[in-house]
Amino acid sequence: MSLRSPWLIAVALGVSAAPGCTGLFTKRAIERFAVSMQEQDLEKLKSSTSETFEEKALRQDDSAKGLKLLKLPIGKVEIVSVEDVGDGKRRAKVKVGEKEKAREIEYLLTRGSKGRGWVVDDIIMTQDSGNGQIVERSVSEQMDLLLTCREMLISWRGSDTEDKLSFCDEKLKSHLKPLPPKWLDQMFKEIAGPGNQSTFKPDARLNGNMAYMVLPHPEGSLLLTLANENDKWLLNDLAIEPKSKESTSIRSLMKMVAALDQSAKFLTAYHSEDREALSQVSSAHLYKQCLSGADFEEVPIPTPLLLDSNYEARQFTDGSSTIKRVELLLKDETQTYMVTLREEDIAQGESGGKKAEFRVDEVTIFEKGSKDVKRMSSLFFAHAISNAYVSALVQRDIPRLKEISSTSFNDRVWNRPESSHFAIIPEPQLLPGTPEIVSTVFRGDVSEVTLIQGETPMTLVMHLANGWMVVDDVLLPALDRPTSLKANLEVLLTVHAFASAIHRKDLNGLMRHSADGLDRIVWRQVSDVPDLAQQLVKPMLSEVVTIQPGDAYTMIRTSDGEIQAEIKLVQEGEQFVIHDVALSSKSNPDQQFALLPTMRQMIAAGQLGPASKKTGQIQPVAGIPAVLPKVQHANFEPIDTSMHAAPPEQSLEQAPESAVHAAP
């Protein structure tokens, strides 16, 4: 029997023992890491892991707590398999825990520096991807994500703007940089919250180079979307999922930043009166109807102060998760400004495509200690409408008045056929020129603009109708008549139309503008307008002395200095009509003439109507007071058109065709 060389025996023993030693060293390295993690000993953890793992997962003082949050299994370690993967690295599959409860995970090991032997380089765990699929995630990657979020929130509570922006990807950073520093600092701090995020339990989902992190927040849950770029996690977007559906907190950082940026650009452009810049950040409605021709000094905004003040922002959805409206509240010492932005589809150049952008749609001003609410659109629009309306009144431009009047004003005045008589009605007496705005008061959808036209003060009462500001009335100071121009014109148009019908011998027109009694008793009993009625025209068109509304009727008194007319109107249906007209003489009060009773008696006596044609002339009427013939023939000559009450250079003969020949 030959003897084997001792060195051959040693080699054989070494080879046979190698697999056991590999498992032993691997097990020791894993157990050393597990014990250090269980003891929360950061220094021991660093000594049992690679420099790469330390840089990614152990770079903060409380990183051991973060590892614990990942719920790495601890307990008895059983090596299932060990595989050398080259470059001095090993892959070990192990079971950790007791028997049935043991979890199988995978450790990656590498040679430690400075003769530390085998150390943990990473740990691979299975995880639900969020869509029902089980995927593998490395512990170093998850810890890097968690620590990045912590570092970001800690930075956002600080004051270094550049450091705060370093956690954002280029797209988000480009939107954040232009924001006013005060707003940017406030937004970062509100998102970060006041608490210590290191105590929070994260819920992370990784999908390729994208990660979705959920962290507790004072207002609900903080949802972070991050992208891995060049082995670094960068914030792509975030939102706060509120605790209640009524919450208006940040639902999308990108949209909030876009709204803040547009608001800052709007305020800056407004302050510098840059209309071109305003057109790029305002809604089409706000710019075209209000800002394009606005006098910005009428509604001053303290832009520098607001850009350096804190804000309150609220986001609103369209009923789903899509944000369509943002409100930004800014305050100075006396007022609060609410900037409202709405998302609009904006055409993109020649491509024909459209892009959703936030545009400033309104600025609402709240006075401190007052219930008055002022909307910028209403202020500018109200002033523009006031100027246009007063100009139309001065020029007697009825088509223009119709365009900017309320339905009520149009129905009662401007849409009536007899509105053409406004051309020769002297009221209101206004001098041409630019109105001087004195004050503007807003009460919900009602605005009141007080101004002075020439020497005449007036207040225009305006309503919002289908998004359009319209004039519902014009209030003028008066003691002898209503202050309402609408109420006064409503009855004066009837008076002028009635006088015009007499002047033109328009029997149908008289029927239309007469009350039922006058129509039935007089006009329907004659075949044409009696000459006797002509003496009413001049007094009815003389200067208006008083207008006295009453429950049963409205009384209008006119006078040319000698002859006074009392015109009684009643309301039938929606319009006022003439009930009677009475004339009296100032120099001889006994001289009186009342239309309805006189005509009724003359018809009864056969002096008017079919019976009068038999005689061919008016006969004395038995029973009529003797003073009546005197009045009928005394001072009431046929109408002298150059003397009746009308604006300068105006008369019935010189008035527009439609005013004299109004359709019945």
Side-chain angles (χ1 to χ4, degrees):
M1 178 177 178
S2 60
L3 296 174
R4 298 177 182 270
S5 172
W7 67 270
L8 290 175
I9 295 173
V11 169
L13 288 171
V15 170
S16 64
C21 291
T22 299
L24 178 63
F25 295 146
T26 299
K27 182 177 181 181
R28 285 178 178 175
I30 294 172
E31 287 178 337
R32 188 166 61 249
F33 172 83
V35 171
S36 301
M37 186 182 68
Q38 191 169 6
E39 293 177 353
Q40 295 285 286
D41 191 324
L42 183 60
E43 292 305 317
K44 287 183 179 179
L45 278 170
K46 290 181 178 180
S47 66
S48 63
T49 56
S50 67
E51 292 178 355
T52 302
F53 188 87
E54 179 183 341
E55 180 182 344
K56 283 194 169 186
L58 301 175
R59 61 179 182 266
Q60 293 182 7
D61 293 342
D62 57 355
S63 296
K65 293 181 180 179
L67 278 173
K68 192 173 182 180
L69 290 174
L70 296 182
K71 292 186 176 180
L72 287 170
I74 56 176
K76 181 180 178 182
V77 177
E78 178 185 346
I79 303 296
V80 177
S81 65
V82 179
E83 176 187 359
D84 285 317
V85 292
D87 294 331
K89 294 181 182 292
R90 288 178 178 174
R91 185 190 303 272
K93 289 186 178 180
V94 303
K95 286 186 177 180
V96 181
E98 300 295 332
K99 297 182 180 180
E100 296 83 2
K101 295 182 179 180
R103 288 180 59 190
E104 187 173 296
I105 59 176
E106 187 175 287
Y107 278 81
L108 299 179
L109 297 98
T110 188
R111 288 284 186 180
S113 61
K114 300 179 182 180
R116 289 187 295 159
W118 291 100
V119 293
V120 173
D121 190 47
D122 212 342
I123 307 162
I124 308 299
M125 299 175 63
T126 58
Q127 184 189 68
D128 186 348
S129 65
N131 56 9
Q133 296 181 347
I134 302 300
V135 295
E136 293 182 340
R137 300 295 183 201
S138 80
V139 167
S140 65
E141 187 178 34
Q142 294 182 69
M143 280 297 297
D144 186 30
L145 175 62
L146 173 62
L147 297 181
T148 296
C149 292
R150 284 182 181 173
E151 291 162 353
M152 179 182 71
L153 296 177
I154 291 170
S155 171
W156 285 8
R157 296 188 194 103
S159 58
D160 190 335
T161 301
E162 288 301 319
D163 187 51
K164 296 174 184 179
L165 293 173
S166 68
F167 291 94
C168 305
D169 65 15
E170 287 302 319
K171 181 179 179 182
L172 180 56
K173 191 185 298 183
S174 66
H175 284 82
L176 289 169
K177 276 187 174 181
L179 293 183
K182 184 77 172 183
W183 293 8
L184 186 62
D185 182 64
Q186 177 188 340
M187 184 180 64
F188 280 139
K189 288 181 178 178
E190 286 180 351
I191 293 171
N196 183 1
Q197 299 292 332
S198 65
T199 62
F200 293 161
K201 177 183 175 182
D203 181 9
R205 293 288 184 268
L206 289 86
N207 187 0
N209 289 330
M210 300 300 295
Y212 307 93
M213 179 78 79
V214 182
L215 292 171
H217 190 273
E219 294 187 22
S221 298
L222 181 61
L223 313 179
L224 306 175
T225 302
L226 300 99
N228 197 311
E229 299 179 7
N230 300 321
D231 204 30
K232 182 179 181 180
W233 290 107
L234 296 172
L235 183 67
N236 176 264
D237 199 0
L238 66 78
I240 296 175
E241 188 176 76
K243 296 177 181 178
S244 66
K245 294 181 179 180
E246 290 73 24
S247 174
T248 55
S249 58
I250 297 176
R251 297 176 183 267
S252 167
L253 178 62
M254 281 294 290
K255 290 203 170 187
M256 176 60 74
V257 170
L260 289 174
D261 187 35
Q262 291 289 77
S263 299
K265 289 178 179 177
F266 176 90
L267 293 172
T268 302
Y270 189 93
H271 183 69
S272 59
E273 300 187 11
D274 187 341
R275 298 182 196 276
E276 177 61 29
L278 282 171
S279 69
Q280 300 301 312
V281 294
S282 305
S283 67
H285 169 81
L286 180 64
Y287 182 75
K288 291 180 180 178
Q289 294 193 8
C290 303
L291 299 178
S292 58
D295 180 357
F296 298 108
E297 293 183 359
E298 290 185 357
V299 188
I301 294 180
T303 294
L305 178 63
L306 298 183
L307 294 181
D308 196 39
S309 302
N310 288 331
Y311 67 85
E312 179 184 340
R314 299 179 291 191
Q315 292 181 323
F316 300 88
T317 65
D318 59 355
S320 62
S321 59
T322 305
I323 298 167
K324 291 295 186 181
R325 177 166 59 94
V326 174
E327 291 179 353
L328 188 68
L329 297 178
L330 304 164
K331 298 179 181 180
D332 65 9
E333 293 182 356
T334 60
Q335 298 180 118
T336 297
Y337 300 83
M338 183 174 75
V339 182
T340 301
L341 302 99
R342 298 185 188 277
E343 198 171 58
E344 292 186 354
D345 291 328
I346 308 299
Q348 302 298 301
E350 298 178 356
S351 64
K354 291 187 176 182
K355 179 183 177 182
E357 290 184 7
F358 279 109
R359 294 292 181 95
V360 175
D361 190 55
E362 184 63 275
V363 178
T364 308
I365 304 172
F366 303 87
E367 296 281 350
K368 187 175 182 180
S370 172
K371 294 182 179 180
D372 290 343
V373 178
K374 302 177 182 178
R375 294 181 177 87
M376 176 181 284
S377 61
S378 298
L379 278 166
F380 284 130
F381 203 27
H383 293 178
I385 291 295
S386 298
N387 291 342
Y389 206 85
V390 172
S391 176
L393 287 175
V394 171
Q395 299 173 19
R396 300 306 200 251
D397 186 345
I398 295 176
R400 183 63 173 147
L401 290 168
K402 288 182 180 181
E403 289 178 358
I404 48 181
S405 292
S406 66
T407 300
S408 171
F409 211 152
N410 280 329
D411 288 346
R412 292 171 60 179
V413 178
W414 308 124
N415 282 340
R416 294 169 56 186
E418 52 270 26
S419 65
S420 55
H421 290 274
F422 183 58
I424 59 172
I425 291 179
E427 298 187 18
Q429 295 182 359
L430 302 175
L431 297 175
T434 302
E436 177 188 347
I437 304 293
V438 176
S439 67
T440 306
V441 178
F442 295 91
R443 295 184 177 88
D445 289 339
V446 178
S447 304
E448 295 181 359
V449 178
T450 300
L451 54 86
I452 299 175
Q453 178 66 28
E455 297 180 353
T456 305
M458 64 180 70
T459 298
L460 279 71
V461 180
M462 287 174 270
H463 294 174
L464 271 178
N466 300 320
W468 184 263
M469 188 74 72
V470 292
V471 177
D472 186 60
D473 205 352
V474 179
L475 305 181
L476 295 155
L479 297 174
D480 51 16
R481 68 200 66 197
T483 58
S484 166
L485 178 64
K486 177 168 63 175
N488 291 338
L489 287 179
E490 185 176 24
V491 292
L492 289 176
L493 287 177
T494 298
V495 170
H496 273 250
F498 187 88
S500 175
I502 293 176
H503 179 71
R504 294 180 287 108
K505 296 183 179 295
D506 180 2
L507 189 59
N508 289 329
L510 288 171
M511 291 178 180
R512 177 186 173 195
H513 298 295
S514 297
D516 179 67
L518 184 58
D519 177 29
R520 178 171 43 82
I521 295 172
V522 177
W523 307 128
R524 295 190 182 276
Q525 306 304 318
V526 297
S527 57
D528 51 27
V529 179
D531 293 338
L532 183 65
Q534 292 295 326
Q535 62 185 312
L536 298 173
V537 177
K538 179 183 174 183
M540 291 184 72
L541 298 180
S542 295
E543 180 183 350
V544 176
V545 178
T546 62
I547 301 176
Q548 295 178 321
D551 294 335
Y553 55 84
T554 294
M555 179 69 76
I556 298 178
R557 291 182 175 85
T558 64
S559 175
D560 64 359
E562 172 59 28
I563 304 303
Q564 177 179 288
E566 289 189 350
I567 308 161
K568 185 181 293 186
L569 298 95
V570 295
Q571 188 168 9
E572 293 184 354
E574 298 297 324
Q575 293 191 5
F576 283 89
V577 287
I578 304 293
H579 173 72
D580 198 5
V581 181
L583 305 182
S584 62
S585 172
K586 181 179 180 180
S587 60
N588 189 356
D590 290 336
Q591 288 187 322
Q592 297 180 2
F593 168 75
L595 176 64
L596 178 58
T598 300
M599 293 292 187
R600 179 171 52 193
Q601 291 184 50
M602 294 182 71
I603 291 171
Q607 293 184 310
L608 289 177
S612 67
K613 294 182 179 181
K614 297 178 182 179
T615 63
Q617 58 181 346
I618 299 178
Q619 300 295 327
V621 182
I624 295 181
V627 295
L628 278 176
K630 296 179 182 179
V631 174
Q632 292 171 6
H633 299 287
N635 295 317
F636 298 103
E637 302 298 331
I639 183 170
D640 179 357
T641 57
S642 65
M643 295 177 60
H644 78 85
E649 289 92 34
Q650 291 281 1
S651 70
L652 277 176
E653 303 300 337
Q654 298 167 318
E657 185 76 11
S658 57
V660 179
H661 301 287

